[in-house]
Structure formats: C-alpha cells, structure tokens
Amino acid sequence: MLNAQVEPYERLRENLSQRDRSLREKVMTLEEAASFVQDGMKVGIGGSTMSRTPMAMIWELVRQRRKNLSCSRAITSTDGDILFGSGVSDHIITSWFAQGILWGLSKVMRRHVEQGLARYEEWSHMAVGMRFRAGGMGVPFLPIRSMLGSGVMDQRPEAKPIDCPFTGEKLLLVPALNPDVALIHVQRCDAYGNAQIDGLQFMDIDLALAANRVILTTERIVSNDQIRRAPDQTKIPFFCVDAVVEVPYGSAPHECFGLYEPMLKHMEAYVGQVNSDPVEGMRDYLERYFYAPKSWNEYLSLIGMEEVLEASQRGRSIYND
Amino acid sequence: MLNAQVEPYERLRENLSQRDRSLREKVMTLEEAASFVQDGMKVGIGGSTMSRTPMAMIWELVRQRRKNLSCSRAITSTDGDILFGSGVSDHIITSWFAQGILWGLSKVMRRHVEQGLARYEEWSHMAVGMRFRAGGMGVPFLPIRSMLGSGVMDQRPEAKPIDCPFTGEKLLLVPALNPDVALIHVQRCDAYGNAQIDGLQFMDIDLALAANRVILTTERIVSNDQIRRAPDQTKIPFFCVDAVVEVPYGSAPHECFGLYEPMLKHMEAYVGQVNSDPVEGMRDYLERYFYAPKSWNEYLSLIGMEEVLEASQRGRSIYND
Amino acid sequence: MTDTPRYTASEILAILSSRQLKDGQVVFAGVGTPLLAATLAQRLRCPGLTILFEGGVVGAFVEPGKLPPSTNDQRCTKRANMVLGSADVLLLLQRGYVDIGFMGGAQIDQFGNLNSSFIGDPAAPKTRLPGTGGGNDISSLTNMIVAMKHEKRRFVEHVDFITSPGFIRGGTSRAESGLPAGGMFRVITELAVFGFDAETRRMKVLALNPGVSRENVQDNTGFDLVFDEQIAITAPPTEHELETLRMLDPERLFTA
Amino acid sequence: MTDTPRYTASEILAILSSRQLKDGQVVFAGVGTPLLAATLAQRLRCPGLTILFEGGVVGAFVEPGKLPPSTNDQRCTKRANMVLGSADVLLLLQRGYVDIGFMGGAQIDQFGNLNSSFIGDPAAPKTRLPGTGGGNDISSLTNMIVAMKHEKRRFVEHVDFITSPGFIRGGTSRAESGLPAGGMFRVITELAVFGFDAETRRMKVLALNPGVSRENVQDNTGFDLVFDEQIAITAPPTEHELETLRMLDPERLFTA
C-alpha cells in the first residue's frame, strides 16, 4: 500500500511513450495550459520559497477552481498559503512551509494543518530533491544519509531505512516522486519548450524530467536560433515540455532571477491581512487579486506599476558590478 | 573482499576533513602536481575519448615513471594506450577502449589485455557515470536499469543485482568509485581552482566531487573576479581542487572545446606506428614525444606549429554561425 | 535497372537506415553509420528529428563535411539545443524520453544480442574488442535499430558475449532479466532489412535489398533465417538520397 | 564598563556567532542570524570564509544593506563563485566538503536536538512550525553551530520532535542512528556560549556573555545545565564589530 506511491517502471514508460515528444510548437494561454491539471493530480511546483514561483499558473488554477491537488515543492512560501486557502490543494509535500523567514509562522498553513483540513507532508530538503531526482532518473529510489535518527524520518514510513549491501552502513532509501504535472517558470524558452534558466535552478531540472507533463511559463519566448547559440544555458529539453505560456512577471509578487526581486510591500500587506484573519483575510485577498482581475496583466496592475518597476530595478541590479 | 572496493563513509569523511579545503592559491607546475599521484593509486581521468583529455598531466606521469595506477575514465582513447604502453597503468576501468572509431581496434590495448599484462575492466557508460556520481554524492551505490541480463554484468561481481524494496523490480546497484586523485583539464579556472567548463562536461563534475584529490590543468588561469562574473558557468568549486596548473594546449593531440579540435594528422601517424608494432612502435613514440622533450611546449613543437594552428582554427569555428 | 545509381555497401546501409526514422522522433545515435544516417534523415524527410549523442548533446545538426570522429567531439554540439553530462543524456533513455537507439554492430545473434567485447572466451579472448560504450545502456533501455555489415562471422547463432542485450534467449527472457522496456526493432545490412518475431523474438527477414536473393542472405548468415510471409523488395537508393549522403560525407569517412 | 557600547540581544548573538568561525572554513549558513554572522566574519576577520546557501550558492559575498530575505533569493548569489542545484549544494555536505553548518533554532534540548516542526503531539499539534528546510540535512551531515534566543521554553530537556538531530539520546546514539559524521559543536545565545560533553554529549556552558551570571543562564533553561570547569567570560562586542554589523543590516531586518 505504501509502495503504491512509487510508479511502477512499466507504467512510467507507458505514460511517456504515449506523450507527444516530437519537436512541435506548443505555445498556448494560461487557460489552455490549465487543462493539463485535473482535480486530484500530483502537481510538482518549480522554484523555491519566493523565487521563480510559477505564480501565474497557480493563479489560473485557483481561478479555474481545481481541487484536491497533491502539491510538492522544494520550499513553500505564500504559494502554499494560496493553494491551501483557495481549496486547490489539500496536501503539500515540502521541507519548509511558511510565508518567509521575515514574517514568522503562516497562520494559513497552521489553520489548515492544525485543524486537519489539509496535510503538510514534511521531508528534509535534500530528500525532496532526491525524490525528484530518482523520478527524473527513472529509478524507484535514491539512497541518502540524512533524516536518519530524526522525527522527520519517523513520520515518513514511505521511506525505507536499510543496511547497505556493500558497506553495512545505515542508509535511507527515499522513493521516487513523479508528479502528474510540473509547473515551472523560466526566464526564456523557445516555442518548442527548450528552456534556459539563469541563476539559481533549485530542483527544477529534476522536477521537469520526473513529471509526466510539464507546463512552462516564461518571461519571454525566444527563437530556437537564440537557444542554439547558448546550448550550455539550456536546462530543460523541449521533449519534457507539453505547454509553453509567455507570461511576463509570471512569478509576481515573488522574484525571477535577473529580472525582478520580490514585491515586498505587496507581500507584507498580504501577510498582515491573512495572518490577522486566515479565513476572511484570505477570502478577501483571493477575491481581489485572483478572482476579480480579467487578466494576469490586470493582476499586475493591482500590485501596482511603482512596485513592479521598483522590483525590476532591484532584480536587474544583480548583474551590476 | 569485493565490498572492500567501496570506501567506508567514515574513511571518506576522514580523508576529506584532513584535506586543506580553504580558499588558497594552489598554482604549481606539472612536476609539482604529479606528487599527488603515487604508485598504485586509483586515478580518475576527465574528459572522454579525444576530448578534454588531461594529456599534459598524463605526459608528466609517464615522464616520472609512475606505475601500477588503476585508472578510470568515461571512454578511453589513445590516452589509454599511453597509460598501458608506458607501464604507468595496468588496470583501466572504462566503457570503451580503442584509439577512435576511425581506426578500429587498438593493438596496444589488445596486446596488453590478451596477454594478461593489464586489465580492462568494462562497465556500461552509464554505470561508469553512476559510479562517479555515487562517489561524488557520498553514498555507497546508485541503482541503474542497464547491464542487467548481459555479459557485461556477469563479468562484474562488484555490482549487486537486487529486487527493489519498493516495486519488486530488478535493479543493479553499482558501487561508488572514489578515485584517490582525479586529473581534469578545463578551459579556465582561477588560482583557487574554481573551474569553468565550456561545452561538453562529460563526467567531470561527478569525478571532481568523488575524488580525494583533484589536479586541474587549465588552458588559462583567470582572476577570481572573472569567475564571479559568470557563476553559472563554474562547474567545479575550488574546495574540490588541490592543484592548478596552467598548460595551454594541455589536451593535445586531443581536443579542447571551443579552442582546438583533435590534431588528426598526428593521431593518424601515431595509430599507424603503434598498430603496426605495438611494442617497438609505442617505445619509439614515447621516447620521441614523452621522454625526450624538455618541456610541454617542446612536445607541442614536435606536433608542429601548422597542425596546432589548424586544430585551433577548427576548434574556434564551433562558435561561428 | 540501368537507371539505378551506383552505390557502395556503406552507402545503401546509411540510406536504408535513414529510411527507418520518422519525423518527430527522438533518436540516440552512435558514431559512424548511425550518426550519418540520422543526419541524412534530418536533411531529407525529418526536419523535426532530434538527435542525441552520448557525449551529452540534445538536438544536434551536424554540418556537412564536418562529421565528428566520435560522439564525444565538439562537432556533435553544432547548433545543438542543449549540452549536458554524459551520464545525464543516458539517463534520458532510462526515464523513457528516447524513441529509438541507433547503433552499429560488430557481431549479432538470432535474438538480436550484440557483441562488441570479446571474440572467443572472455577469460582468454582471441580478440579483445573495444567494449560497450553506451551500447549496453542504449539497447537495455529503448527500441533499437542496428546498422551493420552482413558477414557470416558477424551473424551468428549465439554471440560469444552479450555486450548489448537484444532479446537475450528469446521469448520473455528480456523482460525477465529486468529489461521490461525496449528491445531490437530493426537490423539493416547491405543485404536486407530484419525485424524480430513478436513471440519467439527470433530475427526474421522483412525485406530484401534490391538485387539480393533469399539465398544470398542465408548464405551470409550463421544461423537459419526466418523469412516473413510477405517479403518486400526495398526500393533502391535515389539520386537525391545519394547526393545528400555524399554532400554530408564528402571525404567518405563513413561511406567508403 | 561604561565604555562598552550598547547592543541588542540580536546583535550580540550575531557577533558572538561570527567569532566562532575561522578563516578558510567552508560554512553552510541558514538565513537570518547565521547569514548575517557569516557575512560579518567575512568582513572582519575571515576574508577567505566560503559561505554556502541552500538555494544553491558557493562562495557568496552578500552586499551591505542587501541581506536576502531567504537563502533562496537572488541576492544570495551576489559575487558568488558558483551557482548549482539546491539538492547538489546539500550533497556537498553529504560528501564532506563543509566544515560548519550554521543555523538558527526554535527549540533545542540537552543533547542539541532541534525542533522546528511541532509544538505538542505531532499527531495533533498545538502549533505546526515551518519544518526542517535543509536543517535536518545540515545537522545530520556536518558540525553545527546554532544561534538562538535564550528562553526557558526554547531550552527544554527533550524536544517535542527531533527535526534536526543533535546527539539524539546522547552517548553514541547519534552514530548508531546512522549519522557517524558531524554533530553539535556550539550553541550561541544572548546569555552564553555552549559546547557538548565529549562523552555524555550533554550541553554544557563554556562561557558566559558579559554581565550574565550562571543563575541567569540556568533560570532561563528548562533542564539542569552542566558548567565547564573553567567558565570563561566572553569579551563584549567591540565598536568595530557593532559598526560593521550595523553597516551590513542598516534596516535591522535581523538585528532589531
């Protein structure tokens, strides 16, 4: 029963052989891309904490009122609040879940978990990474040397402690995680989905390889010629990708390396509102920023031109001497 | 006994804690760097086939008449001939060993292996990679799904077939390989050893992390400021590195991505000579190109200005539209 | 057929191999004929064919006259979409992203097992061959096309050593060995095109090359061949195929 | 001591923590006080200190006034030597390249075990805390320095839940759990500097902060403290330390 969570290899291969991996254009809208995410699916989320969060895609899933998604992410920030608070997800697999170190505990996460409305499944950060990596490698597990002896391991019967058949040492085998869909935001990709990531890549490469479908949102769609001029910088090959959506500022109010830093005034106002009342505060926030706007650009204009420009100025400064 | 080849974790950690990993300049000569390689050691060799071979370091080890080295490399080309033919090595762990597909079988390899003078330990290419990767990750093994059912597996009792504890599937566990020393050639690094690799990286990153010592040879030593301007391009961090040697054309007559292609006239003459007489032909080649020259630059001048320049012209053309 | 252009055995091998590929496929190609045939397919009919190389390359477009001497040379990266580690490009096969593996072969048997390691007893070999390279991984993890010279000593009942597994001992033995995915799909020689029986997993002749008889093929094969019920005759290389091939390999590195 | 400059509890925490680091070390730093203290050490005494961040950064030099809000933000990469994957930077710990892990703590016990997951019964917690992040990995795989506020409810006999292992149940229990390397090295608070007994692995006071008595420390601690035979008194923060610290964090994000 516990083992049922590791996809048998034949099913993984069968899924992949059914998928159209040919070189083809796959540019579409957020609305169209959302059709890859069905209620109850396992959804892997790229980026980490407040960085390269695929916020536009999450925003669309909230608007389309998906539910019962089982989400996984390196580290979960306000994206996790939104997923729980909107009812889109009732299960998050991650290593850390709060709004950000600056703001202490998330009252939204606490309410959902402490009241049993949703599950926060905790793994060590490296274990989350190795679960995606095993999934991307097409193997059912990888061995690690952390979590041993801790309460974190005790809570995770899904992992198997073993004595190493080579050395006799204690090791923990963590099971592969192959999400049904991955949502990943990148700086640029071509119409086929060859994606280039600048700066911190987090666990996105392993996640893209592990998932059975990948939705890429991107700040820019560039030509395939431009990709081919810097193949070192390509981090995700097109045949892992099923949808490409161009969404400038697609991580707002989080950051995207080299382009914009987090929009902290908006974040602070958000945190103040939802932590003072995790039910009404969240309902009001979602209504105002997620359900009401007619488009992503309208959402951005609610965050405000000044804040967006100021975040961009800080974002670009990483390349300044 | 077989398991003895996997380093116990405590010994690995002890070795690393004894190593000076501090930020310090470590520029030295080929002669000085060779002192890290002692007779009988396990030596990992970077690059693959005719690409980014650390030829200058191999040249130095031949001149210093090291012996009984157990060498490992992704794919072995004329470097393997030289290692066997000079007596430096009597054991090579690799997936493919010939001079190059253009020239058929290596008579030097054949003579040594068929006459029992040296051992060619064959693993699949992915298995070699996973052995270095396990070593670099600090785990005793990694699971793979190849080699099963083949003669290659039958020849390798060092690997362990298992039934997966999660899925019941057959898997092969390949043991970690942690060389005593790795020899790696790169396009550029700083005096601390922060190394940037352009183009194909082969298995060099895993190898650098796995080895207990790393000797870097480099086409150029650049400033640490230059490294910090493009941290995405740094592939090996300085604390893995014990020696930095600046050796322009340090892979000759093999290639170095973006700088020079293989010097095929020299290679063809070499192959003709050693395959027509693997004993005398090799002896003569080593005498002329390895023992006689007073310096690496003199070795290059024996290959010849015209060939070096022509290889450079072809090498740089990879960046032409 | 006086209008049929003249071609070498290597040329018909490359051309017939290229015809096995379909546009849109992801193909893992070995050096030599496979690389040449995949590049030929890209130029002729399959602009959306994606070629992967063992050196760590996704989506290469090799330049005419600049065929790489191995799949680990920089020439393999020309106009590539992505470069990555050698182990990582092989892991793409393990995960299942690759449609076809495409290799040459030194020795093959009736179940499509390939030997490139030993002639004679592995403990005291008559000849130590170069070994597997990525061949074992590729043939373990995906569907295979093999292009090779047709000689009796190369087409044997049982290989001396299984370097790259085909269907092992036939029937379900491949899956039982731990290889549930992939397997031999086609073998192309200068004499014929072969497939494998769905049940016994024995090699069978699907089509004869132009001007080749059943007897020609059997005489050059070291085991009893099965012939498909309906044997096709392959269309000869066209002028366009030959011209394009010769443009790609003007120095005849792989088509002599 | 009227000449002693005035400082906050957070400031002495950062300054005393920074004094624990040595030039040339490779330090894996968490966000907040650890990041600030490691950056302070770099500026004051340890120009060759290499800072690693969980987001995937080797050798960062954080800019004054631009402290990152998490270790996954782009600011962590400023003037870095290398960026790499989040799992890969943690694997450097597993391999053994890191000298010191440096974290904050929510709750600690006498054996240096840290809890940042649950207050109360994990099955029905009073408070669900944020969780481990990289904390479990770091404390499992290297030697640890922990900087935290000294409160009775934070210094407990046994943590409610071991998120990041210290010496588990003391003695040899850490190694027996499968963690042969690393372990708690120092705990720094605004009251004192702690080490761990080599045999029992119980926390012990090594030095008192200026103006702090043994009773102060014991009164704020939820278990019986062991005091080292020779208790030192830590030198107070210098003007230079405080100025540099305030230059690094002018908005007092982490030193309020």
Side-chain angles (χ1 to χ4, degrees), chain B residues 190-215:
Chain B
D190 65 18
Y192 307 127
N194 289 298
Q196 301 194 328
I197 295 176
D198 297 327
L200 299 168
Q201 65 201 44
F202 306 114
M203 301 176 182
D204 290 12
I205 300 170
D206 293 316
L207 170 59
L209 293 167
N212 284 318
R213 290 280 185 285
V214 173
I215 301 174

Side-chain angles (χ1 to χ4, degrees), chain D residues 191-234:
Chain D
L191 300 183
V193 174
F194 302 84
F196 290 82
D197 184 86
E199 203 147 314
T200 67
R201 299 306 197 176
R202 280 208 162 73
M203 198 187 289
K204 63 179 182 183
V205 182
L206 298 182
L208 296 167
N209 290 1
V212 174
S213 70
R214 291 183 180 220
E215 292 67 32
N216 285 159
V217 184
Q218 182 62 69
D219 288 351
N220 285 286
T221 301
F223 55 91
D224 284 344
L225 277 171
V226 181
F227 289 81
D228 213 25
E229 280 176 36
Q230 306 217 315
I231 299 286
I233 305 295
T234 298

